[in-house]
Amino acid sequence: MPMCRRWCLIIFLGSLFLELIGQTNINIKGEVRSAYTSGAIALATIVYTSQDGHVWEAITDSTGRFEILQIVPGRYNITIKGEGYRTNEIARYLIGRTNILQKFELTPASTDLPELVITEQRSGLFIHPLSNALLVTREETEKLPAGFFDPARLFTSQSGVTSMNDGANHLVIRGNNPAFVKWMIHGTEILNPNHLSNAGTFSDQASPSGGGVNMVSASVLDNTYLYKAPYSAMQGNALAGAIDLNLRNGNIEKLTTEAQISLLGMELGLEGPLSKNGASFITRYRYSTVGLLSQLGAQFGDENINYQDVMASASFPSKKKDLNFFFFTGNNMNDYAGKKDLAERTIPKEWSNILFKGNQTLGGILYEYRINAHHRLMTDLVYSQLKNKHYTELIDRPSTSSENQLYERKWNLHPRWIAVLNDNQVWTTGFQLQANKDTYNYLAGGIPTEFACCNDQDNTTLQPYSNLLIESGRLSVQTGLHAMVAHETSIDPRAQISYKLGAQHSIQFSAGKYSQIATPFAYYLSNNNLLMRSLQAQLSIQGEKKNIQWSIEGYYQYHYNVPGAANTLSLINEAPAPQLFVTGDESTGKVVGMEGNLSGNLGLWRYTANLALFHATYESVAGNTYNSRFDQKYLVHTSIGREWEKQKTKFKKLFGWYTAFQAGGALRDSPLLFFPAPIEPFSITRPGLFRADLRVYRRRFYKHLNTMLALDIQNLTNQQNFGSSYYDGYTGRVGYNYQLGILPNISFTIEY
């Protein structure tokens, strides 16, 4: 090649590279709607203010849409104002990621109080104070420590919430069994959507409450909500809480690709517009990094852990209606090889080969039709499925193998009608009609030879509900009725009241009755699906001054009609192992506690702190009262962090770090004695838990390329936290399982 051509080619490729990475401004689109009617708000003013004081401003058109041209990537304070509505102010909103339609909601203004500025709705979507909901945004999953791109894990930094084991996302809410927590998508109940649902459980069996990795990646989520009981009539079939996943729409401007690699998994996605009117799609594929390295011959101890999942979604918005389709499916495996050499075996687990396999599927249609300015109809049809197998065999005696299989399927039809009777009265009524089919088998080579307790159990449940919200001056009242119709029927009235003491202070009271169908694990040789019930109340006071928000809450919970057996067993504590016959006997439980929350800003520093004190007990079927397994007594969470912006010639850089600290009582433990010796369950208090987490990250925004490099470290001090104890029948001693030690995760994300 002649010298001229060679240099021309080099110059051309170099200019192409500079064009790719050069710093440039971007265009953003958004919409402003009423939080109650979902109707468009015309002539609303949206002001974006950068950290260095530059301002971009837009006004919505008749459809509530707006567009801002040539804005620099970075963090912005956003102010949204509309005639007759409360001002919504959002701090440090990140601009520059996937260019999806930004949505903001406003609520009607009150004439009896000064205008209220909402400062804590980090996503721009309104959360009513009476909903008792906590929020994690997609952007927070990329900023806060020890989340591992799973919003459910980040809820463990909230007051009264912790995990059963830090190797998974089973949530213990206010001293309650994670089995009392349900999963939802867009408000519709689904089965457990997590890979490796046996992770972090005491029995190493599949669980209905969580798992090691969420199949629904945070990269396709918008906001995730955690509803802590007591909540409104619109949530049901959960005594402690509900996790609600909400999918985001795809890029509406152009086709983009996102790739991420970390020590936990590799992910590749594509998204973009389907039409000029805002229709878009998203697709993702993810594979376990450890699983891939294992396939290439790398060894990670005696366990082979693997998972993969794929998803696709499409959204078709219009002026009067929105239509969304989504589909997820994945599988997972945990294969443990015991020690073949007898001399190397030091713990009972090493005597066995253990295989856990699972797969799950989730898909649905979401439809919203805005009838007029005051009425809208939403209808969801969602299918969820999970199938798990747990196989164990003694290395020296394979004939004594055992196998547990769980296969669950759920169809859920969820229509609801939202009517705004006037600007400050909202009536929501609907139902969830669920068709469930559960198959649960226990097979053993020894004794018993075979049990099939829940083989092909078909049951249909109906959950009708009606909820009325009325706001008048300083007073907000929400009252409603939720019903659970299954083998039994439970009518559950609920009410919440809030009174504004001033523009930024309020006092609230919530009370209600709740019901939940126990999981298939709670029954063995029984066709009686007991309907658990609970009476709950909460009193709280909340306040805000300048950049500080605080709240104090006190609550009481009384659970009854909870499955129990064998004098001391109860679902209050955990799902029993399948060999324990749990029938129609009933136990009860109580939780009394209080929580305090504090959060705010010191300049560019963001801090949070909360304290929970509680006492959880249960009464066995024999009438004796004991501390429950989840009676941890106290939980403390604190976090602090900040971010720096720097403008370079060819890119914009954000650098940030956040650290979090958690402390609390350990899950209570029981003496490991055998009958006929009497025991008092959960009478042993283990040393308290402590964990420090750290996340450091760097974002860069180029012209056609965005990157993020992050280091996440869970349990920074490598603290040895108690998990559970067991009796070692081979040595005659008590052994201990501990939670995870230090766990670093390096990740790199590129979007182009």
Side-chain angles (χ1 to χ4, degrees):
M1 178 184 295
M3 183 67 67
C4 178
R5 291 184 181 181
R6 182 179 305 168
W7 279 105
C8 287
L9 179 61
I10 293 174
I11 293 172
F12 171 76
L13 293 176
S15 63
L16 193 64
F17 178 74
L18 291 176
E19 172 70 15
L20 179 68
I21 69 170
Q23 166 69 53
T24 187
N25 300 342
I26 62 174
N27 302 331
I28 60 174
K29 292 182 178 181
E31 63 180 13
V32 181
R33 293 185 177 273
S34 167
Y36 294 157
T37 69
S38 191
I41 299 178
L43 301 180
T45 302
I46 305 93
V47 179
Y48 287 73
T49 305
S50 66
Q51 301 299 299
D52 57 5
H54 287 80
V55 174
W56 286 260
E57 184 174 330
I59 298 177
T60 58
D61 59 20
S62 60
T63 66
R65 297 287 182 95
F66 69 90
E67 183 175 13
I68 292 182
L69 305 176
Q70 298 298 298
I71 189 170
V72 179
R75 292 203 178 272
Y76 288 80
N77 295 330
I78 307 175
T79 302
I80 308 101
K81 295 182 179 181
E83 183 70 25
Y85 292 89
R86 294 176 177 140
T87 298
N88 190 348
E89 185 175 285
I90 308 166
R92 299 186 179 91
Y93 193 98
L94 180 64
I95 299 296
R97 287 300 312 273
T98 296
N99 188 16
I100 62 174
L101 189 71
Q102 296 181 11
K103 299 180 180 180
F104 304 113
E105 292 180 343
L106 299 179
T107 58
S110 170
T111 58
D112 297 340
L113 289 170
E115 184 181 26
L116 175 66
V117 177
I118 304 170
T119 59
E120 276 301 288
Q121 307 314 317
R122 302 181 294 273
S123 68
L125 300 183
F126 176 71
I127 304 176
H128 199 281
L130 292 179
S131 65
N132 216 22
L134 305 172
L135 165 69
V136 168
T137 66
R138 179 202 177 191
E139 195 263 324
E140 286 176 314
T141 64
E142 300 175 335
K143 182 173 68 175
L144 302 180
F148 300 124
F149 310 105
D150 179 359
R153 290 178 180 263
L154 293 178
F155 285 124
T156 60
S157 64
Q158 305 286 349
S159 62
V161 184
T162 187
S163 61
M164 187 168 66
N165 186 290
D166 58 21
N169 63 5
H170 310 276
L171 297 186
V172 178
I173 302 175
R174 291 181 166 176
N176 285 290
N177 188 344
F180 292 174
V181 178
K182 289 292 183 179
W183 289 82
M184 303 187 297
I185 188 164
H186 290 274
T188 300
E189 183 184 328
I190 59 175
L191 297 172
N192 182 5
N194 288 277
H195 294 301
L196 303 168
S197 63
N198 65 322
T201 64
F202 175 75
S203 62
D204 196 37
Q205 303 291 331
S207 94
S209 59
V213 180
N214 196 329
M215 180 180 66
V216 183
S217 168
S219 66
V220 301
L221 288 173
D222 190 359
N223 294 335
T224 302
Y225 302 93
L226 173 63
Y227 295 93
K228 293 168 59 178
Y231 31 66
S232 74
M234 292 181 285
Q235 282 80 40
N237 199 24
L239 299 188
I243 304 170
D244 188 11
L245 307 170
N246 288 262
L247 303 177
R248 65 177 179 86
N249 296 336
N251 193 311
I252 60 175
E253 288 289 326
K254 60 181 180 179
L255 189 67
T256 60
T257 301
E258 182 174 331
Q260 181 184 98
I261 183 169
S262 73
L263 297 181
L264 298 180
M266 296 176 293
E267 182 174 333
L268 181 63
L270 186 69
E271 62 182 276
L274 291 172
S275 67
K276 294 182 179 180
N277 61 0
S280 62
F281 77 95
I282 302 177
T283 183
R284 288 287 194 280
Y285 175 73
R286 186 171 54 166
Y287 194 86
S288 166
T289 304
V290 173
L292 177 62
L293 295 177
S294 298
Q295 295 290 329
L296 296 176
Q299 296 295 320
F300 298 89
D302 297 317
E303 289 191 73
N304 180 14
I305 300 175
N306 197 2
Y307 68 87
Q308 64 177 335
D309 51 62
V310 63
M311 67 81 61
S313 68
S315 59
F316 301 90
S318 66
K319 184 177 180 180
K320 297 283 290 185
K321 57 188 177 182
D322 294 336
L323 181 62
N324 294 272
F325 302 90
F326 65 89
F327 175 78
F328 294 80
T329 189
N331 55 59
N332 54 90
M333 178 190 69
N334 187 338
D335 190 4
Y336 174 81
K339 302 291 187 181
K340 295 182 179 181
D341 188 345
L342 182 64
E344 296 180 357
R345 301 172 188 170
T346 58
I347 59 175
K349 183 179 180 180
E350 294 173 346
W351 291 71
S352 303
N353 294 322
I354 305 171
L355 174 65
F356 180 89
K357 297 180 69 175
N359 62 71
Q360 53 268 11
T361 298
L362 174 64
I365 303 172
L366 313 176
Y367 179 73
E368 178 178 349
Y369 179 64
R370 292 176 285 277
I371 302 171
N372 53 43
H374 296 281
H375 299 271
R376 56 185 170 130
L377 176 66
M378 302 176 68
T379 303
D380 299 348
L381 179 62
V382 179
Y383 175 75
S384 54
Q385 168 193 299
L386 64 87
K387 190 173 184 179
N388 295 302
K389 180 177 76 172
H390 185 278
Y391 176 81
T392 304
E393 68 173 14
L394 287 173
I395 297 175
D396 302 324
R397 289 183 291 171
S399 61
T400 60
S401 65
S402 64
E403 180 177 292
N404 297 318
Q405 294 185 3
L406 174 65
Y407 186 21
E408 292 184 275
R409 289 137 286 180
K410 180 190 292 290
W411 281 99
N412 195 344
L413 176 64
H414 184 197
R416 59 269 197 203
W417 174 47
I418 299 98
V420 180
L421 307 182
N422 59 48
D423 284 344
N424 296 306
Q425 296 182 13
V426 183
W427 181 29
T428 304
T429 185
F431 63 84
Q432 295 199 42
L433 178 61
Q434 301 174 2
N436 305 278
K437 188 170 185 178
D438 300 331
T439 303
Y440 184 37
N441 292 296
Y442 173 73
L443 307 174
I447 300 176
T449 56
E450 179 174 348
F451 284 123
C453 76
C454 311
N455 189 36
D456 292 341
Q457 280 196 344
D458 297 308
N459 62 82
T460 300
T461 63
L462 176 65
Q463 298 181 57
Y465 61 86
S466 185
N467 188 83
L468 178 63
L469 169 66
I470 301 175
E471 293 190 334
S472 178
R474 294 174 179 264
L475 185 66
S476 297
V477 178
Q478 186 168 243
T479 182
L481 198 65
H482 188 282
M484 175 69 74
V485 183
H487 291 82
E488 306 175 69
T489 299
S490 178
I491 306 298
D492 303 335
R494 302 170 192 177
Q496 296 88 28
I497 301 174
S498 175
Y499 183 77
K500 296 182 178 69
L501 303 174
Q504 296 176 317
H505 296 82
S506 64
I507 186 169
Q508 298 178 9
F509 177 75
S510 302
K513 181 171 175 282
Y514 302 84
S515 56
Q516 178 183 342
I517 295 178
T519 66
F521 292 99
Y523 305 97
Y524 204 71
L525 297 180
S526 171
N527 291 321
N528 179 21
N529 284 344
L530 286 177
L531 195 58
M532 304 183 295
R533 295 174 170 88
S534 178
L535 300 174
Q536 303 189 26
Q538 174 181 290
L539 179 65
S540 65
I541 183 169
Q542 302 174 352
E544 179 178 344
K545 187 173 182 180
K546 295 183 179 179
N547 290 322
I548 300 175
Q549 300 86 38
W550 59 270
S551 67
I552 299 175
E553 302 170 344
Y555 61 89
Y556 172 81
Q557 301 178 350
Y558 173 68
H559 309 312
Y560 61 101
N561 206 39
V562 180
N567 296 327
T568 60
L569 294 176
S570 171
L571 195 59
I572 292 288
N573 301 304
E574 59 189 327
Q579 296 87 343
L580 303 175
F581 292 8
V582 178
T583 58
D585 295 328
E586 300 175 13
S587 61
T588 64
K590 294 180 182 178
V591 185
V592 179
M594 66 172 295
E595 298 169 2
N597 296 272
L598 181 68
S599 62
N601 299 313
L602 288 174
L604 295 178
W605 293 88
R606 176 68 179 173
Y607 65 89
T608 64
N610 58 69
L611 168 67
L613 303 173
F614 58 92
H615 182 40
T617 60
Y618 79 102
E619 184 177 298
S620 69
V621 297
N624 299 316
T625 300
Y626 306 105
N627 293 319
S628 83
R629 183 188 181 204
F630 301 100
D631 183 33
Q632 296 174 267
K633 302 298 186 186
Y634 73 97
L635 294 170
V636 180
H637 303 126
T638 63
S639 68
I640 189 170
R642 68 157 292 178
E643 196 171 65
W644 293 262
E645 290 190 18
K646 193 168 185 179
Q647 181 67 57
K648 297 287 188 177
T649 303
K650 301 186 184 305
F651 60 87
K652 178 72 169 286
K653 182 172 74 172
L654 299 182
F655 173 79
W657 68 268
Y658 282 81
T659 184
F661 303 90
Q662 301 182 24
L667 300 185
R668 299 184 68 88
D669 202 15
S670 296
L672 297 174
L673 300 176
F674 292 92
F675 296 105
I679 65 169
E680 181 180 349
F682 309 109
S683 58
I684 299 177
T685 302
R686 297 297 181 186
L689 309 178
F690 174 79
R691 203 181 82 194
D693 305 319
L694 173 68
R695 181 173 176 86
V696 181
Y697 60 91
R698 185 204 66 194
R699 298 180 183 270
R700 286 186 174 181
F701 299 98
Y702 300 95
K703 186 171 184 177
H704 299 294
L705 182 70
N706 300 327
T707 66
M708 182 176 68
L709 178 64
L711 171 63
D712 217 354
I713 304 179
Q714 178 177 286
N715 197 0
L716 183 65
T717 62
N718 200 27
Q719 182 79 12
Q720 190 177 56
N721 289 315
F722 173 79
S724 61
S725 64
Y726 60 90
Y727 177 75
D728 189 340
Y730 303 103
T731 64
R733 296 191 300 267
V734 175
Y736 302 97
N737 294 316
Y738 295 94
Q739 300 190 46
L740 296 180
I742 186 170
L743 178 61
N745 180 45
I746 300 176
S747 63
F748 180 72
T749 305
I750 181 171
E751 180 185 73
Y752 56 93

